Amino acid sequence: MTRAGTRVGVGTRFRYDGETVEVVEMAVTTAGNEVVLKDGRGRLLRLSLRQLLFSDHATVIADQPGPEADDVDEIASVVLGQLHEAERRKILDQAEHVREVLTGYRFGSPELAREGEPRPEYAPEKPLEAKYAAKGAELGVAARSVRRWVTAFREHGEAGLAPRKGLERKSQVTADDRWVETALEVMVEHTGQSKPSRTMVIDRTRARVIARFGPDVVPQPSRATAFRLLAELERQHPLFRLSTKRNRDIADRPEGAYGKLRPTRPGEYLVMDSTRLDVFAFDPITLRWVQAELSVGMDWYTRCITGIRITPVSTKAVDVSAVLYQSFRPRPAGRDWPRHAVWPEHGIPRTVLVDVDAAEGPGLASPALVPETLVVDHGKVYVSEHLTSVCRRMGISIQPARLRTGRDKGPVERFFRTIREDLLQALPGYKGPDIHSRGEKPEDDAFFFLDELEAIIREWTAVVYHSRPHSGLLDPSLPGMRMSPAKMFEHGMARAGYIEVPRDPNLAFEFLQTKWRTIQHYGVEIGRRRYNGPALNAYRNLKSPYDGPVKNGWPFQVDPDDITRIYFRDPDNRRWHTLLWEHAPAAHMPLSEDALSFARKLAASKYRYPDDRLAVADLLERWNLGLGTTLAERRMALRLSREQAAIELPETEAETVISLPSVRKALGADPDTAKPEQPEPTELGDDDEADLEDLADEDDFYADALEDV
């Protein structure tokens, strides 16, 4: 039997730094065992025995053969691991027979002897040749086979009895390596192009091989062999089986080990991204379906969503700033939301507070969080000069992700998939993630308006997503315990001992868009809407100290999600003030800039001197009372009244979605939904005829809203 050990003493030779040395003396010191080495030129070297044995500079030269780490034989665990259960039972039974031949006992020890052991033909005093013959006769095999089993068992144990399974060849199809390398080269060149056919790749490979090496130099495989070679090369570089987008993603994988940010507390990293929603939405004026984009901000550590904004067609820089604005000043929660989905007004979880009922206000839809680092992509909307300047002042660093590397924002990309699979596909107008998954006419089922869709997503995030355990949210010390984003937020606070919250909530106004306007005796006019408040009294008709784009203009901050108010910073005391739109009480539904312009045109066709209050009131009256005079207006009234909506959601996976109050309200299933009150009597405004002529000349997006069909 070979041995894994070798003796180290005087006369043992080592290979040390490329030279052969010999031990000439061994000594025991207070620091440990030491040896004296002598090389071929007679020089002496004193080293510790530990350094000599375990250093990469020295290897022992054994004086007798034995197992080596670089042996061609596979290790025992690899050999036994390739056995099927039937083969394993056969090997164990065979090993018992071998032990009986060697010792006379099936288990190899007298202490574990079975009844009747040892049998007379396998008694320990009998010669091995007789035992070989007896065991061969018992099992029906030749005696030399039993001798071979015994030899293999003595060298390798049970692993020596296993059938030898050699390594499979890298390729089951034989071909010239030059042809294979050229074929792989052609496949790599088509990574960013449209998917080619296998025949075209084979033809180009043959032509390139002939041009590179000459005719009749490299043997060309047959057509069938070439197809089998491409099937094997598909494992190295996918090209034919998967989609071209997936193939490009696989080709762009990093060569090294995957790495990711590892946040240690809430607010350390805030990931922001936008995606095209896989559901159609309706414009509230034209009743046309439109593409919608969702922009979110997510805390990496907790997966909590701190900001949500849906925009038609595409996302702008002001929308990204609005999402970050919500991290500082979260939106209020819905009045009919369950208690577990509502964050206290200050953003700290209830379990951390002593008396939450005394401290909380109406409640928020998400926590208030000041990020330390923003992780964004390279889109212009995320690296605008406004956003980068504000983040620099707030002490927020911006870390762009790598180009075309979605895995750098893995958590938010996973959120987009979750919202598609758990929410959007249960809504009317769902069109699928790609053209191959789209229905025949999904836009015909679209019913939700943009503001309704945002309300549904916001409520689903708070009620379902923040309260559901995630497989990726766990504590390394408790790997079997999955937590929800809300629980992870509490865990992060307990782990870090603190949380970054806005030191001044009014700092959030710096993320809003700035509009330059003059201050008149009636207030401020933005988009033909007039805002006023006591904060302007000291600055009416005064010269502005700012050198802005508007002569004698003052800066005002505008929230794109709420046009009923703007914000003004007093230049004397540096305090922020809210200015309300003078006709805001007449707006019973969200109004955009385009909707207000369309309402003015409706009023101008009916009244000689309309104003904004008259236009909005008349528009709401026509919509809510169903008094439209054209077919398009009747469709508009039917959609807005919700009384004729008869859309049934799928029962599978849709019960959670339809149970959301925002979905029931939008679909007309909420019995408590009441119509808005009829507007007050109209009054004359201050728009002159010149303003109306300007409106008539505009190329309005909603110009054909009332065309007869």
Side-chain angles (χ1 to χ4, degrees), residues 365-382:
S366 59
L369 199 65
V370 175
E372 180 179 328
T373 302
L374 293 182
V375 181
V376 298
D377 56 22
H378 292 261
K380 292 183 179 180
V381 296
Y382 290 100

Side-chain angles (χ1 to χ4, degrees), residues 252-309:
D252 292 337
R253 287 174 177 173
E255 296 181 358
Y258 286 4
K260 65 177 183 179
L261 297 175
R262 287 177 169 79
T264 58
R265 59 175 178 82
E268 188 173 1
Y269 296 100
L270 185 69
V271 192
M272 300 183 67
D273 200 3
S274 302
T275 186
R276 180 69 59 84
L277 289 180
D278 298 326
V279 64
F280 288 119
F282 257 59
D283 187 279
I285 304 299
T286 63
L287 298 183
R288 293 178 179 174
W289 59 265
V290 294
Q291 297 276 6
E293 278 201 358
L294 171 66
S295 300
V296 300
M298 170 188 285
D299 177 55
W300 192 305
Y301 182 83
T302 64
R303 307 295 199 272
C304 284
I305 303 299
T306 61
I308 293 176
R309 178 161 173 79

